[in-house]
Amino acid sequence: MAINWTDDQITAITSSGRTLLVSAAAGSGKTAVLTARIISRLTDAENPADISRMLVVTFTKAAAAELRSRIQKALSDQLASNPKNRMLSRQAAKLGYAKICTIHSFCYD
């Protein structure tokens, strides 16, 4: 099922070359947007990002866990379509070590 992104969501997903803050109301699709943005960056053909070099900060432990789970599913879906993609395999393996956390745990570390 395709998602009908708003213009602001598309901008948040596709913006590059700068730090991005996504701030929106509960239930507005922040987790979906962040997941799509991360997967877009990891699968960029010209300049792929590395999940271990990202910092993803959320407000709650539940949101951080949900985001990690969605990224794992998206990577798994991508790998199912392209099982020989070593870059995707490496990103999936590194996901367990990715810094996806709450503001409090980031500051504590």
Side-chain angles (χ1 to χ4, degrees):
M1 181 173 117
I3 297 175
N4 292 320
W5 301 110
T6 66
D7 290 342
D8 287 338
Q9 289 172 322
I10 292 169
T11 299
I13 293 166
T14 60
S15 293
S16 64
R18 60 189 166 139
T19 301
L20 181 71
L21 172 67
V22 175
S23 177
S28 62
K30 290 182 300 293
T31 303
V33 167
L34 288 172
T35 301
R37 178 176 174 77
I38 291 166
I39 295 302
S40 174
R41 294 290 297 122
L42 295 177
T43 58
D44 185 308
E46 293 180 23
N47 188 23
D50 187 313
I51 191 73
S52 67
R53 298 189 45 84
M54 291 183 177
L55 170 62
V56 182
V57 180
T58 67
F59 284 102
T60 67
K61 290 179 183 178
E66 177 70 16
L67 190 53
R68 187 179 298 274
S69 174
R70 288 188 188 196
I71 294 167
Q72 177 61 51
K73 178 169 181 351
L75 283 172
S76 294
D77 291 348
Q78 293 271 335
L79 278 166
S81 300
N82 192 357
K84 294 183 180 184
N85 187 319
R86 292 175 36 191
M87 187 275 304
L88 285 174
S89 295
R90 282 192 300 273
Q91 296 308 307
K94 290 180 177 183
L95 183 59
Y97 303 102
K99 193 66 170 172
I100 302 171
C101 60
T102 65
I103 292 169
H104 288 93
S105 66
F106 172 70
C107 292
Y108 181 75
D109 283 348

